[in-house]
PDB file of all heavy atoms in Angstrom:
ATOM      1  N   GLU B   8      34.286  -8.693   5.194  1.00 46.00           N
ATOM      2  CA  GLU B   8      33.009  -8.546   5.888  1.00 46.00           C
ATOM      3  C   GLU B   8      33.116  -9.006   7.310  1.00 46.00           C
ATOM      4  O   GLU B   8      32.708  -8.328   8.241  1.00 46.00           O
ATOM      5  CB  GLU B   8      31.986  -9.434   5.190  1.00 46.00           C
ATOM      6  CG  GLU B   8      30.692  -8.776   4.887  1.00 46.00           C
ATOM      7  CD  GLU B   8      29.800  -9.764   4.178  1.00 46.00           C
ATOM      8  OE1 GLU B   8      29.967  -9.905   2.959  1.00 46.00           O
ATOM      9  OE2 GLU B   8      28.983 -10.391   4.848  1.00 46.00           O
ATOM     10  N   SER B  21      31.904   4.140  22.047  1.00 29.00           N
ATOM     11  CA  SER B  21      31.226   5.385  22.331  1.00 29.00           C
ATOM     12  C   SER B  21      30.864   6.019  21.007  1.00 29.00           C
ATOM     13  O   SER B  21      31.720   6.459  20.250  1.00 29.00           O
ATOM     14  CB  SER B  21      32.124   6.303  23.133  1.00 29.00           C
ATOM     15  OG  SER B  21      33.287   6.581  22.400  1.00 29.00           O
ATOM     16  N   ARG B  48      27.090  11.822 -26.471  1.00 43.00           N
ATOM     17  CA  ARG B  48      27.573  12.970 -25.733  1.00 43.00           C
ATOM     18  C   ARG B  48      28.998  13.294 -26.087  1.00 43.00           C
ATOM     19  O   ARG B  48      29.598  14.163 -25.484  1.00 43.00           O
ATOM     20  CB  ARG B  48      27.487  12.687 -24.234  1.00 43.00           C
ATOM     21  CG  ARG B  48      26.108  12.949 -23.662  1.00 43.00           C
ATOM     22  CD  ARG B  48      25.928  12.320 -22.327  1.00 43.00           C
ATOM     23  NE  ARG B  48      27.022  12.643 -21.427  1.00 43.00           N
ATOM     24  CZ  ARG B  48      27.097  12.181 -20.201  1.00 43.00           C
ATOM     25  NH1 ARG B  48      26.172  11.380 -19.742  1.00 43.00           N
ATOM     26  NH2 ARG B  48      28.110  12.480 -19.427  1.00 43.00           N
ATOM     27  N   ALA B  86      16.304  11.471   9.311  1.00 89.00           N
ATOM     28  CA  ALA B  86      17.666  11.960   9.526  1.00 89.00           C
ATOM     29  C   ALA B  86      17.943  13.221   8.718  1.00 89.00           C
ATOM     30  O   ALA B  86      19.045  13.425   8.226  1.00 89.00           O
ATOM     31  CB  ALA B  86      18.684  10.880   9.204  1.00 89.00           C
ATOM     32  N   ASN B 105      13.330  12.738  -6.130  1.00 89.00           N
ATOM     33  CA  ASN B 105      13.387  11.674  -5.114  1.00 89.00           C
ATOM     34  C   ASN B 105      12.198  10.754  -5.289  1.00 89.00           C
ATOM     35  O   ASN B 105      11.075  11.087  -4.951  1.00 89.00           O
ATOM     36  CB  ASN B 105      13.366  12.316  -3.723  1.00 89.00           C
ATOM     37  CG  ASN B 105      13.534  11.266  -2.635  1.00 89.00           C
ATOM     38  OD1 ASN B 105      14.107  10.217  -2.843  1.00 89.00           O
ATOM     39  ND2 ASN B 105      12.981  11.544  -1.459  1.00 89.00           N
ATOM     40  N   LEU B 122      15.044  -0.686 -13.763  1.00 81.00           N
ATOM     41  CA  LEU B 122      15.076   0.498 -14.591  1.00 81.00           C
ATOM     42  C   LEU B 122      16.398   0.678 -15.314  1.00 81.00           C
ATOM     43  O   LEU B 122      16.690   1.756 -15.814  1.00 81.00           O
ATOM     44  CB  LEU B 122      14.787   1.747 -13.734  1.00 81.00           C
ATOM     45  CG  LEU B 122      13.387   1.788 -13.165  1.00 81.00           C
ATOM     46  CD1 LEU B 122      13.240   2.958 -12.239  1.00 81.00           C
ATOM     47  CD2 LEU B 122      12.351   1.892 -14.289  1.00 81.00           C
ATOM     48  N   ALA B 137      23.069  -5.358   4.507  1.00 84.00           N
ATOM     49  CA  ALA B 137      22.797  -6.636   3.839  1.00 84.00           C
ATOM     50  C   ALA B 137      22.559  -6.417   2.367  1.00 84.00           C
ATOM     51  O   ALA B 137      23.002  -7.186   1.506  1.00 84.00           O
ATOM     52  CB  ALA B 137      21.586  -7.290   4.495  1.00 84.00           C
ATOM     53  N   PHE B 148      26.551  -1.926  -8.330  1.00 94.00           N
ATOM     54  CA  PHE B 148      27.164  -0.670  -7.923  1.00 94.00           C
ATOM     55  C   PHE B 148      28.494  -0.393  -8.584  1.00 94.00           C
ATOM     56  O   PHE B 148      29.195  -1.289  -9.049  1.00 94.00           O
ATOM     57  CB  PHE B 148      27.344  -0.645  -6.395  1.00 94.00           C
ATOM     58  CG  PHE B 148      26.088  -0.954  -5.635  1.00 94.00           C
ATOM     59  CD1 PHE B 148      26.095  -1.841  -4.575  1.00 94.00           C
ATOM     60  CD2 PHE B 148      24.879  -0.357  -5.985  1.00 94.00           C
ATOM     61  CE1 PHE B 148      24.945  -2.134  -3.867  1.00 94.00           C
ATOM     62  CE2 PHE B 148      23.718  -0.644  -5.301  1.00 94.00           C
ATOM     63  CZ  PHE B 148      23.744  -1.556  -4.236  1.00 94.00           C
ATOM     64  N   ASN B 209       7.322   0.265  14.776  1.00 89.00           N
ATOM     65  CA  ASN B 209       7.323   0.989  13.519  1.00 89.00           C
ATOM     66  C   ASN B 209       7.152   0.067  12.316  1.00 89.00           C
ATOM     67  O   ASN B 209       7.915   0.113  11.374  1.00 89.00           O
ATOM     68  CB  ASN B 209       8.638   1.775  13.406  1.00 89.00           C
ATOM     69  CG  ASN B 209       8.713   2.571  12.132  1.00 89.00           C
ATOM     70  OD1 ASN B 209       7.700   2.884  11.514  1.00 89.00           O
ATOM     71  ND2 ASN B 209       9.915   2.883  11.708  1.00 89.00           N
ATOM     72  N   GLY B 210       6.145  -0.788  12.363  1.00 85.00           N
ATOM     73  CA  GLY B 210       5.917  -1.678  11.246  1.00 85.00           C
ATOM     74  C   GLY B 210       5.991  -3.132  11.668  1.00 85.00           C
ATOM     75  O   GLY B 210       6.060  -3.447  12.851  1.00 85.00           O
ATOM     76  N   ILE B 269       3.436   4.980  23.078  1.00 95.00           N
ATOM     77  CA  ILE B 269       4.825   4.530  23.171  1.00 95.00           C
ATOM     78  C   ILE B 269       5.184   3.913  21.823  1.00 95.00           C
ATOM     79  O   ILE B 269       4.460   3.051  21.329  1.00 95.00           O
ATOM     80  CB  ILE B 269       5.007   3.464  24.282  1.00 95.00           C
ATOM     81  CG1 ILE B 269       4.611   4.052  25.641  1.00 95.00           C
ATOM     82  CG2 ILE B 269       6.449   2.969  24.328  1.00 95.00           C
ATOM     83  CD1 ILE B 269       4.716   3.056  26.776  1.00 95.00           C
ATOM     84  N   LEU B 278      13.388  11.198  17.784  1.00 92.00           N
ATOM     85  CA  LEU B 278      13.790  12.556  18.130  1.00 92.00           C
ATOM     86  C   LEU B 278      13.179  13.542  17.149  1.00 92.00           C
ATOM     87  O   LEU B 278      12.828  14.666  17.522  1.00 92.00           O
ATOM     88  CB  LEU B 278      15.328  12.666  18.123  1.00 92.00           C
ATOM     89  CG  LEU B 278      15.997  11.948  19.299  1.00 92.00           C
ATOM     90  CD1 LEU B 278      17.475  11.712  19.036  1.00 92.00           C
ATOM     91  CD2 LEU B 278      15.809  12.758  20.574  1.00 92.00           C
ATOM     92  N   ASN B 288       4.228  16.142  23.156  1.00 90.00           N
ATOM     93  CA  ASN B 288       5.191  16.147  24.268  1.00 90.00           C
ATOM     94  C   ASN B 288       6.041  14.888  24.260  1.00 90.00           C
ATOM     95  O   ASN B 288       6.166  14.177  25.258  1.00 90.00           O
ATOM     96  CB  ASN B 288       4.436  16.278  25.603  1.00 90.00           C
ATOM     97  CG  ASN B 288       5.327  16.787  26.701  1.00 90.00           C
ATOM     98  OD1 ASN B 288       6.507  17.072  26.482  1.00 90.00           O
ATOM     99  ND2 ASN B 288       4.789  16.865  27.908  1.00 90.00           N
ATOM    100  N   GLY B 300      22.096  -1.148  17.398  1.00 90.00           N
ATOM    101  CA  GLY B 300      22.316  -0.115  16.412  1.00 90.00           C
ATOM    102  C   GLY B 300      22.424  -0.687  15.009  1.00 90.00           C
ATOM    103  O   GLY B 300      22.662  -1.871  14.803  1.00 90.00           O
ATOM    104  N   ALA B 316      26.937  13.651 -11.107  1.00 93.00           N
ATOM    105  CA  ALA B 316      26.091  14.189 -10.030  1.00 93.00           C
ATOM    106  C   ALA B 316      26.071  13.227  -8.850  1.00 93.00           C
ATOM    107  O   ALA B 316      26.066  13.639  -7.691  1.00 93.00           O
ATOM    108  CB  ALA B 316      24.677  14.426 -10.568  1.00 93.00           C
ATOM    109  N   ARG B 342      31.442   9.878   9.961  1.00 89.00           N
ATOM    110  CA  ARG B 342      32.720  10.475  10.329  1.00 89.00           C
ATOM    111  C   ARG B 342      32.648  11.149  11.702  1.00 89.00           C
ATOM    112  O   ARG B 342      33.458  12.043  11.984  1.00 89.00           O
ATOM    113  CB  ARG B 342      33.138  11.475   9.262  1.00 89.00           C
ATOM    114  CG  ARG B 342      33.444  10.838   7.921  1.00 89.00           C
ATOM    115  CD  ARG B 342      33.844  11.864   6.885  1.00 89.00           C
ATOM    116  NE  ARG B 342      34.812  12.797   7.429  1.00 89.00           N
ATOM    117  CZ  ARG B 342      34.689  14.128   7.358  1.00 89.00           C
ATOM    118  NH1 ARG B 342      33.665  14.663   6.776  1.00 89.00           N
ATOM    119  NH2 ARG B 342      35.617  14.898   7.881  1.00 89.00           N
ATOM    120  N   ALA B 355      25.371  22.656  20.417  1.00 89.00           N
ATOM    121  CA  ALA B 355      23.913  22.505  20.410  1.00 89.00           C
ATOM    122  C   ALA B 355      23.505  21.159  19.795  1.00 89.00           C
ATOM    123  O   ALA B 355      22.579  20.507  20.279  1.00 89.00           O
ATOM    124  CB  ALA B 355      23.283  23.644  19.629  1.00 89.00           C
TER     125      ALA B 355
END
Side-chain angles (χ1 to χ4, degrees):
Chain B
E8 228 179 278
S21 60
R48 277 164 49 182
N105 184 27
L122 294 174
F148 307 134
N209 180 22
I269 300 178
L278 288 163
N288 200 2
R342 294 180 46 231

